[in-house]
Amino acid sequence: MNANSPAEALAKLQDVLDTLLGPEGCPWDKAQTPETLCDYIIEESFELVDCIRSGDAPGTAEELGDVMFLLLFVATLSRKREEFSLAEALDTAAAKMIRRHPHVFGDLKVADREELLRNWERIKRAEKDKDTGLYASLPKGLPSLLKAYRIHSKAARSGFTWETDAAMKAGLDAERGEFEAAVASGDADAMAEEFGDYLFTLTEYGRRLGLKANACLDVANNKFLTRYKAMERLARERGLSLDALDMAAKNALWEEVKKA
């Protein structure tokens, strides 16, 4: 393990970055702007999340470092543009967290988690212009399933959601019925719309149960991929072509993999 303190490690990374951007540095790095780095930040963030969710501690450490490097890169370029410094960004974050946690740094008392989240939302909105709406801070580029979760979460904090779990379940059943009716009609546009409504409502149902749809679907995706790769491996070991097998044979392999 590195014995350096976080401050020393950050200073070392800054030295590396300054060298890359210096007169004898890397032409690629010197050509970058905060705008050109955006896609790399997104890509590295996804890689970091993959490592965290898979329990890969060494990979998480590496990818966390990659994300930190890119964030420092943006901060350094922004300082050169005389827009802001890393210290200013960190000070702003610290002040924001203190302001949004009056139940920790102040004397506010909250009864439960729901009241805590509602208070958080009130403070966030008070920080913005009064004319901004509830969803003014919702990033446009969020993946759709994650965006649906955030939309419902914010709506719930403002009190705009089903009042009871039973009413929520009835709403979900109604959306499922509308989707099935659209399927029966054969209307492709109606099917797409109602399927979207059903997914949107299902996301809220999961949220109320403490489930994040995006994370749950990621687990399901990875489970399927792991099992399918195991099927391919079994087929190869047995000299079989998986593509050539009929459905019954594929299902037999699938069940064998599931049991394993």
Side-chain angles (χ1 to χ4, degrees), residues 228-248:
Y228 198 87
K229 289 175 183 176
M231 285 175 61
E232 291 176 321
R233 185 177 65 254
L234 278 179
R236 285 195 302 268
E237 291 172 353
R238 296 171 184 177
L240 302 172
S241 170
L242 187 59
D243 291 341
L245 297 178
D246 61 22
M247 195 61 190

Side-chain angles (χ1 to χ4, degrees), residues 10-32:
L10 183 61
K12 181 178 180 180
L13 188 60
Q14 182 71 70
D15 287 342
V16 170
L17 183 56
D18 289 342
T19 300
L20 291 172
L21 298 176
E24 303 300 322
C26 173
W28 185 90
D29 290 283
K30 290 194 286 185
Q32 300 311 304

Side-chain angles (χ1 to χ4, degrees), residues 194-210:
E194 296 301 340
F195 186 59
D197 290 347
Y198 182 53
L199 280 177
F200 185 73
T201 308
L202 186 61
T203 300
E204 168 61 3
Y205 187 45
R207 189 197 68 82
R208 294 168 75 101
L209 296 173

Side-chain angles (χ1 to χ4, degrees), residues 143-165:
S144 296
L145 205 56
L146 181 56
K147 182 181 287 188
Y149 181 92
R150 296 298 185 203
I151 289 171
H152 281 300
S153 180
K154 286 179 174 290
R157 292 177 195 178
S158 72
F160 187 65
T161 187
W162 285 270
E163 293 184 352
T164 65
D165 289 342

